[in-house]
Amino acid sequence: MIKWKKRENKECREKKMEAVMAEFESPLLRYAARILNNPVSAEDVVQNVFIKLFKVWPEGEHPTDKLKPWLYRVTHNEAVDYIRRESRLHDLHEKHATEEKISADGASANDKAASVGEKRALVLNLLHHLHPREQQVILLRLEEGLSYKEISSVTGRSEGNVGNILHHAVQKLSDKIKTGAVMEGRAI
Amino acid sequence: MKCEQIKELLALYISGDLNTEIGSAVKTHLDECDSCQASAHEVEQTLDLLRDALAATSEPDMKLSASAKKNIFAAEELPVKENIIQGWLFNRHPWLVPAAAAVIVCGFVLFGINSMKVRSDCTMSIDNESLRMMSYDASEVDEVYDVAKNEDLYDCKIVSSESKMKPRCLSLTVGDQASRSASISDDSFADVGVLPPVPELVEINFINEAQLSADVSPKPAKMDSVATTSDPVKKRANFDGRAAAPAETAHGNANRADGFDSDDLDIEISALEEAVDAQPEMKREVMEKHSGMQRKVEDSRQRPLKKGKAVAVEAGSGWVARRIGAVVALLIIFGACWLVLAGTRKNG
């Protein structure tokens, strides 16, 4: 009887987990891939995140509003840990990714398209060189579309502080893009 | 609003994250200020570029591989691979870390207070022949030692070593007869909180009863109360280092074979009379101080010179307050550690 009940509980938990995974796997993979600049590593990170969720999720509990910020927070922490652990590998991946992107854009399109591809590659490269905290705010706001309240919940910072980080990050990118354009001798 | 303030809000304004009131203020400023307008244009371009780059390189439907999903569900079945000590500590006995932290901190609080309290204490004990002073403050003991040495009234001896961890002890024993008589007019010991020793009073008491009931009558009544012994003659004999001589025998027989000499007694009486006549006011003052100190000495006789006991007696209501404070601190520390640990584990 106990064994049967335990099995039922397990099946119930797995169903809930599957539902959560179906909802969040794509945005979390995307977010982790942005931070890590590597989709394969992102899968490892997100896998760890769901394993952690499975372990800490109390039996009989249903997902709440806190789940989404929790998942993004743990994903970010896992990704940053991964970068620290694999810093050398990360640098390598980053270099390859940038080179591939630029060469692909340059080879396959006309002058105008190549220029657009370079711009994108440049801005993404600059984005990856921002502080993880700034990357986090930009990605959550501009790519994942989280509200300031949600970002505040993910980062543990006040909404004002989040706005401030976003402003400084965008300003930094703007200055670097301008500098890069001047160095290359053309406006971006 | 100034241009610097506006520039700080541009990113939020362009991404539509400002509220209506501030947004309209920024818009009004941008209509009037070319410099801010140029900055806004730059920020807008950057944000557009960012959005475009992110959208173009984004994979909208990324999925975990089947093997990754399998790993996730299999992880619950697998035994947790973690450090044995860590697992024992955090999983089986999660209360142990906060409890240990709380106990350590409270131990420091309690023993720290006790240690400080004891160190500030100066304990004295006195008997009929000697005074013993014990304090962690070496200067306090040395002060008394210097006074006693200068006055040449006592045989002084510092008993303890120089170690700061141990109390410094001073032992004062009664000196010769002439010195004791002179000390009746000396209140320097009262100033530093040390008694003129009991022998003075006992001598006077003896004289009063045996020989000088009329002449030494100015003696304050407190002298009787201070000399609590019922056998003053015996005490006198102790101080003199001679054999005991009963009062009635001394009174009637001046030349006894046991060595009690009535000539000595006469000398003592004269010396005492001189001392009493010379400074009766000072004597009374000293006697009053003496009687107050005597009560403290009686108290100190009843309690042993043990740190814990002395602290418990001295501490009073403060002791209870400190203990309650320590328990509250313990609970707070325990709760804080628990929350920190729980938060750390929850956030991975």
Side-chain angles (χ1 to χ4, degrees):
Chain A
M1 178 71 180
I2 293 170
K3 212 171 180 179
W4 177 78
K5 199 168 183 181
K6 206 172 177 182
R7 192 175 169 183
E8 191 188 50
N9 282 342
K10 195 189 162 195
E11 282 173 2
C12 187
R13 271 163 67 81
E14 282 183 359
K15 274 184 185 174
K16 281 180 192 167
M17 272 299 293
E18 276 170 9
V20 171
M21 282 166 62
E23 187 180 350
F24 289 106
E25 65 180 323
S26 181
L28 291 181
L29 279 168
R30 192 170 54 226
Y31 178 74
R34 287 283 181 213
I35 296 282
L36 295 165
N37 201 21
N38 182 351
V40 180
S41 306
E43 191 173 60
D44 289 344
V45 164
V46 174
Q47 176 186 300
N48 288 342
V49 172
F50 284 123
I51 288 173
K52 277 191 174 176
L53 176 65
F54 216 166
K55 283 181 181 169
V56 300
W57 197 341
E59 279 190 32
E61 289 280 323
H62 293 280
T64 63
D65 294 343
K66 291 178 183 175
L67 180 63
K68 189 177 173 184
W70 186 90
L71 285 169
Y72 275 109
R73 182 164 67 244
V74 177
T75 304
H76 183 81
N77 292 344
E78 282 281 323
V80 171
D81 284 348
Y82 190 94
I83 290 169
R84 282 180 191 147
R85 278 200 307 270
E86 312 281 331
S87 56
R88 281 182 61 204
L89 283 174
H90 171 256
D91 291 343
L92 204 62
H93 287 313
E94 187 181 45
K95 196 178 170 190
H96 282 309
T98 311
E99 283 170 358
E100 279 169 16
K101 203 59 128 180
I102 291 169
S103 63
D105 286 341
S108 64
N110 57 27
D111 285 347
K112 193 181 172 185
S115 173
V116 171
E118 281 179 27
K119 282 181 198 172
R120 285 173 184 161
L122 175 66
V123 78
L124 288 176
N125 193 27
L126 290 174
L127 176 65
H128 290 139
H129 282 92
L130 288 177
H131 191 278
R133 180 182 61 227
E134 293 169 331
Q135 288 186 51
Q136 184 184 29
V137 172
I138 285 182
L139 290 174
L140 291 177
R141 183 73 193 111
L142 299 182
E143 187 166 38
E144 302 302 325
L146 265 65
S147 69
Y148 274 68
K149 196 178 174 184
E150 285 174 318
I151 297 173
S152 167
S153 184
V154 171
T155 57
R157 299 170 190 278
S158 69
E159 290 181 42
N161 199 352
V162 169
N164 211 19
I165 290 170
L166 181 69
H167 158 73
H168 283 289
V170 171
Q171 197 65 50
K172 215 184 273 183
L173 283 176
S174 183
D175 290 345
K176 282 183 179 174
I177 288 169
K178 204 160 65 176
T179 314
V182 169
M183 283 175 72
E184 287 179 23
R186 60 174 186 270
I188 290 177
Chain B
M1 283 175 120
K2 291 180 182 175
C3 289
E4 285 181 6
Q5 290 173 307
I6 295 292
K7 281 177 184 172
E8 285 197 358
L9 295 171
L10 285 176
L12 301 178
Y13 171 73
I14 291 162
S15 59
D17 293 318
L18 283 181
N19 64 40
T20 324
E21 193 183 339
I22 301 175
S24 60
V26 172
K27 190 175 182 302
T28 311
H29 182 93
L30 287 177
D31 290 341
E32 296 165 355
C33 179
D34 292 340
S35 166
C36 288
Q37 220 169 31
S39 298
H41 187 64
E42 273 179 25
V43 171
E44 193 172 8
Q45 271 190 332
T46 305
L47 281 170
D48 287 345
L49 199 55
L50 260 174
R51 284 199 188 97
D52 175 58
L54 290 171
T57 55
S58 173
E59 292 182 38
D61 201 24
M62 291 175 84
K63 294 284 179 192
L64 283 170
S65 64
S67 64
K69 284 184 181 175
K70 197 177 170 186
N71 289 341
I72 291 169
F73 290 112
E76 199 188 31
E77 307 287 334
L78 292 172
V80 181
K81 284 182 185 174
E82 59 182 9
N83 187 308
I84 296 170
I85 298 170
Q86 223 176 14
W88 182 84
L89 202 61
F90 290 106
N91 292 338
R92 296 195 174 194
H93 306 281
W95 49 268
L96 209 58
V97 174
V103 166
I104 288 167
V105 172
C106 286
F108 273 115
V109 170
L110 287 175
F111 286 100
I113 288 169
N114 275 354
S115 167
M116 284 162 64
K117 178 68 185 166
V118 168
R119 278 166 188 277
S120 68
D121 273 353
C122 169
T123 318
M124 282 190 290
S125 68
I126 187 166
D127 58 26
N128 293 331
E129 291 181 335
S130 65
L131 179 144
R132 191 160 177 267
M133 180 182 182
M134 189 166 78
S135 174
Y136 281 93
D137 184 359
S139 63
E140 202 174 13
V141 175
D142 290 341
E143 189 185 356
V144 177
Y145 175 80
D146 289 342
V147 173
K149 197 77 178 169
N150 290 337
E151 295 296 331
D152 201 24
L153 302 177
Y154 302 94
D155 297 325
C156 306
K157 191 165 64 174
I158 298 286
V159 180
S160 74
S161 67
E162 291 287 335
S163 168
K164 288 181 179 177
M165 298 303 290
K166 292 178 180 175
R168 194 166 168 81
C169 298
L170 172 67
S171 177
L172 301 177
T173 51
V174 177
D176 61 16
Q177 185 69 25
S179 301
R180 287 206 309 276
S181 302
S183 73
I184 201 161
S185 60
D186 182 78
D187 62 349
S188 57
F189 287 94
D191 288 342
V192 293
V194 182
L195 288 176
V198 179
E200 301 290 356
L201 307 172
V202 178
E203 282 291 333
I204 292 167
N205 221 359
F206 167 67
I207 294 159
N208 188 29
E209 286 178 8
Q211 304 272 339
L212 293 174
S213 57
D215 293 341
V216 197
S217 56
K219 165 186 73 65
K222 284 173 184 171
M223 292 166 79
D224 286 323
S225 64
V226 170
T228 53
T229 178
S230 60
D231 188 358
V233 176
K234 186 179 176 186
K235 280 199 174 286
R236 175 185 177 278
N238 283 341
F239 304 139
D240 289 347
R242 303 175 194 166
E248 55 275 14
T249 314
H251 180 63
N253 186 358
N255 295 308
R256 282 173 57 91
D258 60 4
F260 185 82
D261 188 352
S262 64
D263 290 342
D264 283 352
L265 192 62
D266 290 340
I267 294 166
E268 285 177 31
I269 291 165
S270 330
L272 285 167
E273 278 180 326
E274 283 170 17
V276 169
D277 291 342
Q279 292 179 336
E281 286 302 319
M282 190 176 283
K283 177 192 159 192
R284 192 172 295 115
E285 202 176 303
V286 171
M287 288 302 110
E288 283 170 5
K289 287 180 181 174
H290 195 160
S291 65
M293 290 296 287
Q294 183 68 15
R295 279 195 293 276
K296 290 185 181 176
V297 170
E298 286 299 326
D299 289 344
S300 73
R301 277 178 182 166
Q302 289 168 10
R303 65 174 191 252
L305 292 176
K306 284 182 182 173
K307 280 195 243 174
K309 182 70 177 174
V311 169
V313 171
E314 294 290 334
S317 58
W319 183 88
V320 177
R322 274 198 298 276
R323 263 61 181 177
I324 292 171
V327 170
V328 171
L330 190 142
L331 291 173
I332 291 170
I333 292 162
F334 187 88
C337 289
W338 184 274
L339 286 175
V340 168
L341 276 178
T344 310
R345 287 171 63 74
K346 202 173 177 182
N347 290 332

